[in-house]
Amino acid sequence: MKTRYSHRWDLSPRDAIALQTRLASRVRLKNAVRYRDIRTIAGADVAYSKETDYCFAVVVVLKFPELSVIEEATHVCEGPYPYVPGLLTFREAPPLIQAFARIRTIPDVMVFDGQGIAHPRRMGLATHLGILFDCPSIGCAKSRLWGHYAEPGKLAGSWVALRDNRNRTIGCVLRTKRGCRPVFLSPGHNVTLPLARKIILRTVTHYRIPEVTRLAHLLANKLRRDYQR
DNA sequence: GCGACAG
DNA sequence: ATCTTGTCGC
């Protein structure tokens, strides 16, 4: 699978921010897919090596809602963009795009370990890649980057809205498992928050993290191990 | 100046 | 995110 649009990634933080602001106008927050038509879902993640400066990207495609693995693809590269809050996309998208290039199944939805529109410029990793691939996408982060919220209920499945400074809903804080910290869900591109929540809840099995990104995360760590170390 | 800050 | 084994608790 290849991106429909592309641009440079070696931008200075200042230019990267300007690009995010420009791209933000392209986000579409309506459903481009119906829940009952979802047959495949992709999860992506990147692992890093502290000493070698290498990064290991993984994309896994699962059958939905069965969650059986259909395809896996990886990409290893060196010298990723540094981590800068708000610019995670510039660090993870380049290797992920290469991994996606090795996937032959075009997924109905993509899920990323990071934010969607719950971002200072509404351009988190999931939104940015959703736009470049022109594919419905969801951001499922383990912690907050942007927005305010009240603690969600204690029971699995309970959630509260995540809102920005102007009190607009930009996502939700979802308790996927009782006794566990919640996850931060936000629409990436071409999906509404209700649909994103429905999809993610159907993708959570025995862990706090939905299977798609959890599997990608495990595979990325395995790739780093098997590589050399 | 101080606190916040996806992975 | 990364460096890391055992271990406290349900």
Side-chain angles (χ1 to χ4, degrees), chain A residues 55-66:
Chain A
C55 60
F56 308 81
V58 168
V59 170
V60 55
V61 182
L62 307 185
K63 186 174 176 185
F64 187 90
E66 297 82 352

Side-chain angles (χ1 to χ4, degrees), chain A residues 6-7 12 14 27 42 47 50-51 67 76 84 92 99 119 121 140 144 148 153 156 169 189 220 229:
Chain A
S6 64
H7 58 69
S12 63
R14 179 179 173 171
V27 184
K50 184 186 181 184
E51 49 184 52
L67 308 183
V76 178
V84 178
E92 307 212 327
H119 177 278
R121 291 167 291 282
C140 183
R144 185 205 77 99
H148 56 82
T169 296
H189 181 59
R229 254 201 75 189

Side-chain angles (χ1 to χ4, degrees), chain A residues 45-132:
Chain A
D45 193 29
V46 183
Y48 301 86
S49 170
K50 184 186 181 184
E51 49 184 52
T52 65
D53 199 38
Y54 268 70
C55 60
F56 308 81
V58 168
V59 170
V60 55
V61 182
L62 307 185
K63 186 174 176 185
F64 187 90
E66 297 82 352
L67 308 183
S68 51
V69 179
I70 294 177
E71 264 193 278
E72 299 175 10
T74 67
H75 180 73
V76 178
C77 60
E78 191 176 16
Y81 194 87
Y83 171 68
V84 178
L87 302 181
L88 178 65
T89 303
F90 291 80
R91 179 172 171 78
E92 307 212 327
L96 285 179
I97 287 172
Q98 296 303 309
F100 267 109
R102 297 177 170 155
I103 285 291
R104 71 167 198 174
T105 307
I106 291 181
D108 294 314
V109 182
M110 295 176 166
V111 182
F112 296 94
D113 192 344
Q115 315 295 341
I117 63 169
H119 177 278
R121 291 167 291 282
R122 299 172 74 90
M123 279 297 292
L125 176 64
T127 301
H128 199 135
L129 286 182
I131 289 173
L132 295 191

Side-chain angles (χ1 to χ4, degrees), chain A residues 163-182:
Chain A
R163 296 193 166 83
D164 67 12
N165 301 324
R166 296 162 52 177
N167 218 37
R168 292 177 297 184
T169 296
I170 55 177
C172 72
V173 184
L174 172 68
R175 183 90 62 190
T176 54
K177 286 291 167 183
R178 179 172 186 169
C180 291
R181 293 156 51 209

